[in-house]
Amino acid sequence: LAFNSAAAVVAGGAVLIGAAQIAPQSRALRLGAVVLAAGAAAAVIVMTEPRCLAGPYALVDPAIRPIWLGHVRENQPLARVVTENPLTAAGLFAFPAFAALVVPALLPDKRRRIDFAFLVAAAVFLLATATTVGVIRAYSFAIWLGMPLVAVAAVQLRQSLGLRNAVARTLVVLFMTPLAVSSLAIAAVAAAGLEDTKSFARPERQHCFDSASYRAMATLPPGLVLADVSYGPFILALTPHTVVSAPYHRLSEGIVVAHRAFALAAQQARAEIEERGVAYIVLCGPQAPDGLDGAAEAASLWRALQDGVRFDWLEPVGGDAFKILRVRSPRASQGTPPAR
């Protein structure tokens, strides 16, 4: 990626420098040079790594999409967030939407229509806003890139209103900040009777992310831990253990292995677990692994362990917030119903 980016910059820069040397005063030539520079940069990337055309996750194992990546909140499209969490959507997208309305309001000034810097800033902002519509994780870029444009509009509005009082001028600016715009949008959506229906907090799992919950696990001899992908960073940071998986898209193999181990029936899962050298299995909270539901969940090792089924190749070793099971030496075993 670094090589591709550097090569693209060099190719584009060479075109721009050449155009500036040939006819530095020609606006048409400068515009053409920008187009050629963009084409040269794109050509370098396509020739050196054509898979990049498939998007930012082109090199990610497609197997993780249905079992994890497709369920990551920040990777959801704006339309889905609007449906499930309208208050959250208002908070995320209100300022980019406001800034998008500001752009055409600034264009009547002829100086801006021919100002290359303004046009580039507006184009990049609009691209970030369009990206946010497809993937909400881009909202911060849309906010950052929209702030300079709104700042220009704030100055223009202040001048057109003829405001000379410092307090009035300050209020105009404050009401156009991301915090003010987002807060007003959230209040308007709430007043309309809409509310978030899918909680981001997931209170039933909050204790699973509490540092104190990992104390018991930290006292156990170091070993490889099989757990929900979300707990990987906490286990690494707060205990002496290593983990099968963590929530990073480049660690696709571990994500697939962890999901398969929990999703398989007990005996099949056991073979996978022992092959990988797992020392502990850790569970917390009632949420099933992403992409596992219906009959598949009912037949899975995860469900059996949640229901308290005992296996003689697994030994409970305590824990309050977490259910911790040590993997014993391999031998044939059968599950037994939970104790009553």
Side-chain angles (χ1 to χ4, degrees), residues 67-320:
I67 64 174
W68 175 69
L69 189 60
H71 301 271
V72 175
R73 290 289 181 88
E74 64 182 13
N75 283 330
Q76 305 303 321
L78 180 64
R80 181 171 174 179
V81 180
V82 169
T83 302
E84 298 177 346
N85 300 86
L87 295 176
T88 300
L92 295 180
F93 199 67
F95 187 79
F98 176 61
L101 295 175
V102 161
V103 172
L106 294 174
L107 288 177
D109 188 328
K110 183 180 179 181
R111 293 172 300 174
R112 295 198 183 99
R113 293 200 302 271
I114 62 174
D115 186 336
F116 181 73
F118 173 79
L119 294 176
V120 170
V124 173
F125 159 71
L126 293 173
L127 177 60
T129 302
T131 304
T132 303
V133 173
V135 183
I136 61 169
R137 69 178 300 173
Y139 82 95
S140 57
F141 296 99
I143 290 176
W144 297 335
L145 294 169
M147 283 193 285
L149 300 172
V150 174
V152 172
V155 172
Q156 181 172 297
L157 178 62
R158 190 180 66 189
Q159 292 173 345
S160 64
L161 294 176
L163 298 177
R164 296 185 179 277
N165 183 279
V167 174
R169 294 164 65 179
T170 300
L171 288 175
V172 168
V173 173
L174 288 177
F175 275 106
M176 297 177 72
T177 60
L179 178 60
V181 173
S182 296
S183 298
L184 289 172
I186 292 172
V189 172
L194 300 175
E195 60 182 22
D196 288 352
T197 58
K198 191 171 183 179
S199 173
F200 281 77
R202 296 180 179 177
E204 72 279 3
R205 297 182 67 192
Q206 283 301 298
H207 64 286
C208 304
F209 301 99
D210 185 348
S211 296
S213 299
Y214 292 81
R215 290 173 183 166
M217 197 186 312
T219 63
L220 298 172
L224 181 63
V225 176
L226 171 66
D228 184 290
V229 62
S230 300
Y231 310 143
F234 294 85
I235 295 172
L236 290 174
L238 301 171
T239 78
H241 307 299
T242 54
V243 293
V244 174
S245 63
Y248 308 107
H249 63 273
R250 296 191 184 279
L251 303 180
S252 56
E253 181 181 359
I255 294 172
V256 171
V257 168
H259 182 272
R260 187 166 58 237
F262 280 124
L264 291 172
Q267 290 304 108
Q268 295 172 300
R270 179 187 182 187
E272 181 81 30
I273 289 166
E274 292 175 348
E275 179 184 351
R276 297 288 174 172
V278 172
Y280 304 100
I281 298 176
V282 169
L283 296 95
C284 186
Q287 182 179 335
D290 290 327
L292 184 63
D293 50 28
E297 179 189 328
S300 68
L301 172 66
W302 181 87
R303 172 47 60 192
L305 296 178
Q306 283 289 106
D307 291 343
V309 176
R310 295 177 180 173
F311 299 94
D312 61 11
W313 53 280
L314 294 176
E315 174 190 3
V317 289
D320 297 323

